[in-house]
Amino acid sequence: MGIPTRMVTYAALCLLALLVLIPLFWLIGSAFKPSGEIFSYPPTFLPRDPTLVNFSRLFEEMPIVRYIINSTFLATSHTVLLLIIATMGGFAFAKYNFRGRGVLFGIVLGSMMIPFHLVLVPLFSLLYKLGWLDTYQGVILPYLASSGFGIFLMRQFILGIPIDLIDAARIDGSSEFGVYWRVIIPTVKPAMGALSIFGFLGAWNEFLWPMIVLRDSDKYTLPLGLANLVGVYRQEYGMLMAGTLLSILPIMALFLAMQKEFVQGITLGAVKE
């Protein structure tokens, strides 16, 4: 690649990055603006008179801390259960030979093609019969049925583990769970890092399913709580911007904490030895 071509490529990438970051810059600036300045014309990215009134009102007028705790609990529970199911399922499909393995794996792949919105009504009826409406398990467990991508991802990574390594652990007297815990889990940590970010992000931002299941406002997640700021008779866009800014901080912290595993997870196997 020549220098002119490389410069054009870098310029195009910088332009695309700027287009992606403009909404984030607008969000950060608006969170520190008075409500009247958000829709001022001409618009400004930087607030003329920075203020923390939106954040103070957010904590005074809403149980925002409770919403953050609820979202953290639901997203963490979903991510942990997703990792358990995905690693165990991927291990079984990658290293065990059993009758119907191909058919079952095809069903797992097929489940990825079914939109979640298509099964909303059957899932709601099932939760009603189980008495799980307005419960945390009613929010967490149904979404685990859509863990086909995680099983597929883990299977592809575990296929690269030499079978001799697993046989050596069995010869040393390790049980099948010991093989899973001491051999498989340490090897697929990069993939688990990538999957945990995807899973946590999806559960943290989920709006539709918690809105359908939850009735008690004390159990609301952060997206549900923030949605109440804008309605027919109330438009608190300043508080909404402040709450949205707070909502992205845990995701940024998780990505920074697991950045190494995430990059390894999405690039492992992409380069041919």
Side-chain angles (χ1 to χ4, degrees):
M1 180 182 295
I3 295 179
T5 304
R6 186 177 304 173
M7 292 179 61
V8 172
T9 302
Y10 287 161
L13 292 176
C14 291
L15 179 61
L16 291 176
L18 182 62
L19 292 176
V20 173
L21 292 175
I22 283 177
L24 179 60
F25 293 152
W26 177 266
L27 169 67
I28 296 174
S30 299
F32 295 94
K33 292 178 181 179
S35 297
E37 189 181 343
I38 295 178
F39 295 101
S40 63
Y41 186 84
T44 58
F45 276 96
L46 297 178
R48 300 189 186 96
D49 299 312
T51 178
L52 295 176
V53 65
N54 293 323
F55 293 93
S56 62
R57 290 186 59 197
L58 191 66
F59 283 92
E60 291 172 0
E61 301 179 17
M62 292 182 61
I64 190 69
V65 176
R66 180 64 182 176
Y67 294 157
I68 294 175
I69 293 175
N70 292 341
S71 290
T72 303
F73 171 73
L74 291 174
T76 303
S77 302
H78 170 80
T79 303
V80 171
L81 293 175
L82 174 63
L83 291 176
I84 294 174
I85 293 175
T87 51
M88 286 188 172
F91 180 35
F93 283 119
K95 297 301 181 182
Y96 286 90
N97 292 317
F98 53 90
R99 182 176 299 179
R101 183 179 68 171
V103 175
L104 289 177
F105 188 65
I107 294 175
V108 171
L109 294 180
S111 67
M112 298 168 55
M113 306 176 189
I114 301 176
F116 184 76
H117 304 78
L118 193 64
V119 296
L120 281 178
V121 174
L123 279 179
F124 183 86
S125 300
L126 179 61
L127 292 185
Y128 176 78
K129 294 177 181 178
L130 293 175
W132 282 5
L133 292 179
D134 199 24
T135 62
Y136 289 138
Q137 64 265 28
V139 177
I140 298 172
L141 295 181
Y143 247 97
L144 294 176
S146 60
S147 56
F149 171 74
I151 295 176
F152 171 75
L153 179 67
M154 289 300 169
R155 174 185 176 272
Q156 298 306 113
F157 274 81
I158 296 174
L159 282 174
I161 300 177
I163 191 64
D164 295 339
L165 186 62
I166 298 176
D167 291 338
R170 290 169 177 163
I171 293 174
D172 288 340
S174 179
S175 63
E176 293 303 307
F177 182 79
V179 172
Y180 164 78
W181 186 253
R182 297 184 179 90
V183 177
I184 301 300
I185 293 299
T187 307
V188 299
K189 278 186 177 180
M192 293 176 63
L195 183 60
S196 63
I197 292 179
F198 290 137
F200 189 91
L201 179 61
W204 180 268
N205 291 330
E206 181 57 36
F207 176 79
L208 179 61
W209 184 242
M211 181 184 66
I212 294 175
V213 175
L214 299 178
R215 297 291 183 269
D216 187 358
S217 59
D218 290 336
K219 298 179 182 178
Y220 277 6
T221 60
L222 189 55
L224 289 180
L226 294 179
N228 291 328
L229 292 174
V230 179
V232 178
Y233 303 105
R234 187 185 187 190
Q235 293 84 28
E236 298 289 352
Y237 287 103
M239 295 172 60
L240 179 62
M241 296 296 178
T244 305
L245 180 59
L246 290 178
S247 70
I248 67 176
L249 295 181
I251 300 298
M252 295 178 63
L254 177 65
F255 177 79
L256 293 176
M258 306 191 67
Q259 184 177 10
K260 180 179 178 181
E261 289 78 6
F262 178 74
V263 174
Q264 289 179 350
I266 63 177
T267 58
L268 188 61
V271 180
K272 185 176 181 181
E273 300 290 342

